[in-house]
Amino acid sequence: MSGAVSASEALLGAVRAGRMGEAAGLLDGMTDAERRACLPALKDLRKELRAAPWDAASRKAYPALHAAGAACHTGAAGTAAWLTAADLRWSQASPGVLLHVLGDRERDWLGDVAHRLAERPPLAQVPYELMSGLVRLSGCPVPTTETYVVGWIEQVGSLWQRGDTVLQRLRQDPYTAELVAAVFEIPDIGSRLDWLFGDGPDSWFNALAQLTREGALDRKATVDACVARLLRGGVPSDCRVFLRLLTALGLTRDEERERAADWLALASDAVSTVASHAQSVLGSLALDGELTPRQLAEMSGGVLFRTEKKLVRAQLVLLGKALRCDPSSAAELLPAVAQAFGHEDTDVQERALKLVERHLDAAPPEVRGEVVDAAAELSPGLRVRAAETLGLEGADRVSEPYVELLPPAPEPARVPPAPESAVELAEEVGALLASGGDVAAFERTLDGLVRHGYRDRDALAEALKPVVTRLWWVDADPRYPSVEKYFRTDPHGLEVVLATLLGQVSTATLHRADQHGPMTDPCVHSAVAAAFNARLWEAAHRLSTDPLPFLLATPTWGSGLLEPDELVARLDEYRRLGARPGETDIAQALLRVRRDDSTASAAAAERAAALGTAEGNRLALWLTTDGPSLPWSSRRTSGVRILLELGELDGVPGEFPPAFQRIGRPVSLFKARAYCAHYWDRAERHHWLAVVPGRRELVAARLLRELSSVAVEGTRGDASVLPLLAEAPGEAGEAVHLGVAYGLGARHPEDRLSAVDALLVLAAQGQLDTERLGADLGQLMRRGAVKPLRLAESVRTAATTGAYATVWEILRAALPVLLADLATDGAAASARGFGELLAVAAECAERTGARGCMAHLAQAADRRGSSRLVTQARRLRATLDHGVAA
């Protein structure tokens, strides 16, 4: 036993010192029992090293520890686990050393370790040299797992280390056939290997194709595997890799013909590049007479419903060639052509109609009936043409009058009362901290914290502890300056209230923030942000000094509006309790109280005056006088942007706290900063509308630069406030409409969808000024701030919901601006995508039966050529001249 102890000590000493050669020599002379005896000391050393700093001298022991621990495990599972441990991964022993210390084991044991290592996920970063060396020593079957196969491919592709080629390496490797077959079974392998599968004579594609020609790889199995993988689909890189390999294999006509069913499936459902290849194969077969008309019709049924216009147009060209080659195939092919009548692109519809016009005479009567039924899907203008040129009796049937379909206007939602128990309130707090919340959830939770803090602060703090444990300041020393600074500069939503309840922020810090706040910030957002923050600081300060029984300013509705009767009742309860209202709380309550019903306001004012309190008198005076009116606004340009400046908001009472006085200050474009803290933090923007409910123009004007950035700079996410602006009460003026205009031209689809939602909500409420929005869009497109192609996608989305008339009115005001430039200069700078915009306008005009003229449209329609801009201008002119209705 003493020998074992001395061997263990010697090995541990060599490992600690990082002497790899000495450790390997000691391991060579040990029995299995001696190795097992060394293992506990090595595990203790591993625990010790885990706690050591990264720059500690002791960390030089890691490579020797990695090798010694693997060698001292006598079970394959233990050895594999040690070799792939995360804490040993960054300072491993080399594969050569590991193969040396493990190489004297039994072959079956080595094979077991090799397969266990190969089954580890790629993130384990097992060296391929180690796995392949164990396979070689054991003579076991080669693993075909993702980790092993990816390692093999990377090893074969590392040409900078040796002078041979990929093809030579694959020829020399005895396992090439098994590993190549495994490549086709690994999911998402293309994303990892696409960069290795380059072009050139020494590429993997050419090497595998050559091995197939030489017979080293079974050709039929390789081709079938390629096709099967493409049929399976997956990420684009997978499809790209296996399509290029299939192309390199150079299929014969017999091989293509045998797989006709596979090409049909790929043409219908595969990604665009794969579908295009399948389409070309099927087209070649069809034109050589090796594809029946029924098969070609089946193929067309799938391809013509795809969204890629290039594929659809290529299919119509193929059908036209097939009809010319064999006019008798019209019975099978014309119904397939007619399926394109329902395509969203009217150019596709027109191409299909031309084919039908050319070949319908050769079709039997029953085919004419199918075409008649399909013609109902044509756009209104083409439907009239079908009736005139084909004599289809059903194609020109009178449609019902157009009816605009808009979403229902959103109904105001009441803010639920605060949770009754502290435990329920804590759950609400946890939900808000985890995923945020709307105005209603935030306000009821804030009111609940104030109420329960007034009743039993200790019970509330105990209930809150489990839900706030992940906040960084929970366990911090209250005297630590970073915590005080954190809450002095910003309340961070509910966090300042929570920190106060848990005793993590001092009363002195809360007092300074409540009295002053960060008043020096010159950004355009600070006016509403300061008012929002001031109320939070006051609530936290009062919890620490003189708790409020509840908040006066908690809104009745999710929009932020507060019913006057409810505010009177709250003031009466304050009078009964002898409570002192908070200055910012009462100011916020007055800004929120609803005054659009003069009768209700007068009655509430009478009851408020009867309370005999100063706050009751303030409310009575507020309800019986006119509130602040919207300030004047003027447009200014900044680069390609159009922005707004606001004048001073009159009527803000002088007794309001300083933070609320700032709401009335002017908004100057030239004094405001382009970027500020609020630019990067969007979490609280949706609460700003509830600070000044009924005056959304004030908020929209302050957010206009951020809203313009989604179109001009391609930022993401800023347009998410647009639906909230649309749903908010108050006048929708210049700022709101400009914000929607920028959102419709946003770079990212989710921002465009937010703008479309806002547009539809405004239209449903009868607050959308289509003339103003269209004029804004025209000017923004002329300046280059909004791109026509993006706008076309947005308005097409809005139109397809049923708002064709609304979209037409917008485009009728927007298009003449670009058409005038086109007529004056011959080519507009913003012409890219203009044709798509005209196509949407033409469809809207057709469906709504619009008539009349549009300035400068005739000059665009009379231009030479058949570009999309010209063809759609002609289509729109014809529609407006003839008044086609859907």
Side-chain angles (χ1 to χ4, degrees):
M1 189 69 180
S2 59
V5 172
S6 60
S8 173
E9 291 176 350
L11 178 62
L12 187 63
V15 169
R16 276 189 179 278
R19 296 191 294 270
M20 180 69 77
E22 181 181 341
L26 291 170
L27 288 167
D28 286 344
M30 288 185 181
T31 65
D32 284 353
E34 290 173 331
R35 293 184 179 189
R36 281 194 296 269
C38 296
L39 196 56
L42 294 173
K43 290 182 177 179
D44 290 340
L45 176 58
R46 180 179 171 187
K47 292 179 182 178
E48 178 186 329
L49 292 179
R50 283 176 185 162
W54 277 104
D55 57 351
S58 59
R59 298 187 67 84
K60 65 184 179 181
Y62 263 117
L65 177 62
H66 186 238
C72 289
H73 278 85
T74 55
T79 298
W82 185 279
L83 287 170
T84 57
D87 58 321
L88 300 172
R89 184 176 303 160
W90 303 110
S91 300
Q92 295 185 16
S94 68
V97 171
L98 293 173
L99 291 173
H100 172 79
V101 299
L102 299 175
D104 59 350
R105 301 297 182 91
E106 295 179 356
R107 292 164 62 90
D108 290 345
W109 186 90
L110 292 172
D112 192 2
V113 173
H115 278 265
R116 289 178 183 274
L117 293 176
E119 288 169 0
R120 297 284 173 167
L123 290 176
Q125 299 180 349
V126 183
Y128 170 75
E129 295 86 349
L130 175 59
M131 295 184 290
S132 61
L134 291 172
V135 170
R136 185 177 62 256
L137 290 173
S138 66
C140 67
V142 65
T144 55
T145 64
E146 181 178 1
T147 294
Y148 194 92
V149 174
V150 171
W152 171 72
I153 292 178
E154 291 177 346
Q155 178 73 11
V156 172
S158 57
L159 295 177
W160 58 89
Q161 297 178 0
R162 293 167 57 181
D164 51 2
T165 64
V166 169
L167 179 59
Q168 290 170 341
R169 293 188 184 190
L170 293 176
R171 283 174 176 159
Q172 296 165 4
D173 194 324
Y175 303 113
T176 292
E178 294 96 320
L179 294 173
V180 168
V183 168
F184 296 98
E185 303 302 325
I186 297 175
D188 296 343
I189 195 170
S191 59
R192 294 189 177 92
L193 306 179
D194 192 16
W195 66 277
L196 285 173
F197 279 58
D199 293 316
D202 194 38
S203 70
W204 270 84
F205 303 109
N206 290 332
L208 293 178
Q210 181 62 31
L211 290 177
T212 304
R213 287 190 289 270
E214 294 173 359
L217 298 177
D218 183 272
R219 180 175 180 83
K220 185 177 186 306
T222 305
V223 173
D224 286 344
C226 264
V227 174
R229 188 58 187 265
L230 293 174
L231 285 168
R232 192 189 311 171
V235 296
S237 56
D238 271 6
C239 298
R240 183 165 53 248
V241 165
F242 292 108
L243 177 59
R244 291 175 68 186
L245 177 56
L246 184 65
T247 304
L249 290 172
L251 270 60
T252 66
R253 179 48 57 91
D254 289 339
E255 289 173 328
E256 291 177 340
R257 189 188 310 109
E258 291 171 3
R259 295 168 177 81
D262 295 329
W263 307 129
L264 288 171
L266 290 172
S268 299
D269 300 321
V271 298
S272 181
T273 52
V274 177
S276 179
H277 176 77
Q279 184 185 46
S280 65
V281 173
L282 289 170
S284 179
L285 291 173
L287 296 179
D288 288 346
E290 299 185 37
L291 204 68
T292 66
R294 183 176 295 277
Q295 288 177 309
L296 182 55
E298 178 186 348
M299 170 196 177
S300 302
V303 175
L304 292 177
F305 279 98
R306 296 185 65 108
T307 57
E308 301 93 335
K309 296 176 183 177
K310 182 178 179 180
L311 289 176
V312 174
R313 291 169 181 168
Q315 189 65 23
L316 290 175
V317 170
L318 174 60
L319 288 169
K321 291 179 179 178
L323 285 166
R324 286 196 301 272
C325 293
D326 183 11
S328 64
S329 64
E332 295 279 359
L333 298 184
L334 284 184
V337 173
Q339 293 181 53
F341 289 171
H343 198 275
E344 63 177 13
D345 187 356
T346 56
D347 284 349
V348 171
Q349 294 183 18
E350 186 172 9
R351 287 170 184 259
L353 181 57
K354 287 180 179 178
L355 273 180
V356 171
E357 291 171 343
R358 192 176 299 125
H359 299 282
L360 189 61
D361 291 340
E366 59 270 18
V367 171
R368 297 181 66 88
E370 291 186 52
V371 173
V372 168
D373 294 337
E377 301 297 323
L378 288 167
S379 65
L382 292 176
R383 200 181 311 150
V384 172
R385 170 177 160 182
E388 294 173 351
T389 60
L390 303 179
L392 305 180
E393 297 178 358
D396 60 342
R397 60 180 180 269
V398 177
S399 303
E400 297 179 0
Y402 172 76
V403 177
E404 184 85 341
L405 297 177
L406 293 172
E411 296 290 334
R414 277 189 170 270
V415 176
E420 289 294 330
S421 72
V423 175
E424 292 178 25
L425 176 62
E427 293 176 354
E428 296 280 346
V429 170
L432 278 174
L433 292 176
S435 58
D438 56 13
V439 169
F442 181 88
E443 291 289 345
R444 71 187 292 263
T445 305
L446 177 61
D447 184 48
L449 290 171
V450 171
R451 287 175 184 267
H452 286 279
Y454 176 81
R455 297 174 193 167
D456 191 343
R457 176 171 172 169
D458 293 339
L460 176 58
E462 191 65 27
L464 288 172
K465 286 179 180 177
V467 302
V468 299
T469 53
R470 298 183 66 181
L471 297 174
W472 71 272
W473 46 259
V474 169
D475 297 324
D477 187 338
R479 296 169 295 178
Y480 192 57
S482 292
V483 178
E484 301 298 325
K485 182 179 180 181
Y486 181 72
F487 289 115
R488 171 64 184 85
T489 56
D490 195 302
H492 300 282
L494 291 179
E495 286 190 42
V496 70
V497 179
L498 299 173
T500 301
L501 290 168
L502 295 175
Q504 293 299 111
V505 59
S506 68
T507 303
T509 294
L510 294 173
H511 176 73
R512 286 195 299 271
D514 182 35
Q515 293 299 311
H516 304 290
M519 302 296 291
T520 58
D521 190 350
C523 78
V524 295
H525 316 99
S526 60
V528 284
F532 176 75
N533 291 342
R535 185 159 164 258
L536 292 167
W537 272 315
E538 181 186 76
H541 182 240
R542 291 293 296 268
L543 276 171
S544 182
T545 56
D546 180 18
L548 297 167
F550 52 84
L551 292 176
L552 295 172
T554 302
T556 307
W557 305 100
S559 63
L561 287 173
L562 173 60
E563 291 297 329
D565 287 343
E566 195 166 337
L567 181 54
V568 172
R570 292 174 185 174
L571 289 174
D572 188 24
E573 182 64 12
Y574 261 63
R575 180 189 60 80
R576 189 186 68 80
L577 294 172
R580 177 173 63 89
E583 284 300 316
T584 59
D585 192 31
I586 185 64
Q588 180 65 89
L590 292 177
L591 280 178
R592 283 178 170 173
V593 72
R594 190 166 65 87
R595 295 189 292 178
D596 55 354
D597 186 338
S598 58
T599 303
S601 295
E606 185 177 346
R607 290 192 297 274
L611 295 177
T613 64
E615 289 74 23
N617 292 334
R618 284 180 66 183
L619 176 59
L621 180 62
W622 182 262
L623 290 173
T624 53
T625 56
D626 294 332
S629 58
L630 286 176
W632 58 265
S633 64
S634 60
R635 294 193 169 208
R636 295 288 186 270
T637 58
S638 176
V640 298
R641 290 176 168 88
I642 298 175
L643 301 176
L644 290 180
E645 289 189 330
L646 296 183
E648 187 170 357
L649 181 67
D650 297 327
V652 178
E655 64 269 20
F656 271 23
F660 284 82
Q661 289 288 340
R662 298 181 69 185
I663 293 175
R665 293 182 183 177
V667 176
S668 173
L669 173 64
F670 301 104
K671 293 182 180 179
R673 295 205 309 264
Y675 301 101
C676 62
H678 306 105
Y679 182 88
W680 307 110
D681 183 9
R682 308 183 182 113
E684 294 176 356
R685 290 182 187 175
H686 58 289
H687 293 293
W688 295 349
L689 286 163
V691 173
V692 283
R695 300 175 181 86
R696 55 183 163 183
E697 281 287 294
L698 294 179
V699 178
R702 287 173 166 82
L703 290 175
L704 204 52
R705 180 173 287 276
E706 284 75 23
L707 291 172
S708 68
S709 294
V710 301
V712 177
E713 299 173 5
T715 57
R716 186 193 298 266
D718 285 302
S720 60
V721 73
L722 287 174
L724 300 176
L725 282 169
E727 294 175 11
E731 177 186 344
E734 277 191 296
V736 171
H737 281 77
L738 261 177
V740 172
Y742 283 120
L744 292 173
R747 174 183 178 183
H748 297 287
E750 60 268 32
D751 286 316
R752 293 198 294 270
L753 285 176
S754 294
V756 169
D757 288 342
L759 184 152
L760 294 175
V761 168
L762 289 172
Q765 295 172 336
Q767 297 174 330
L768 181 67
D769 187 337
T770 55
E771 188 75 23
R772 168 181 282 173
L773 180 58
D776 287 343
L777 286 168
Q779 291 301 323
L780 291 174
M781 284 190 289
R782 167 182 276 175
R783 299 177 64 85
V786 168
K787 293 179 170 54
L789 188 59
R790 295 177 185 172
L791 176 61
E793 294 176 4
S794 296
V795 293
R796 179 180 286 111
T797 300
T800 52
T801 65
Y804 289 98
T806 300
V807 171
W808 164 246
E809 293 299 326
I810 294 170
L811 293 181
R812 186 173 65 175
L815 290 174
V817 179
L818 296 185
L819 289 169
D821 288 346
L822 198 67
T824 303
D825 302 332
S830 56
R832 185 175 182 273
F834 194 9
E836 295 296 329
L837 204 55
L838 286 168
V840 179
E843 182 176 4
C844 292
E846 289 171 351
R847 289 181 178 271
T848 58
R851 298 193 68 174
C853 62
M854 179 179 288
H856 309 292
L857 178 61
Q859 291 93 319
D862 290 336
R863 291 163 67 97
R864 294 181 180 179
S866 58
S867 67
R868 186 156 178 78
L869 189 155
V870 174
T871 57
Q872 294 304 318
R874 292 168 183 166
R875 175 189 171 196
L876 178 57
R877 181 176 64 176
T879 301
L880 295 178
D881 288 345
H882 299 293
V884 177

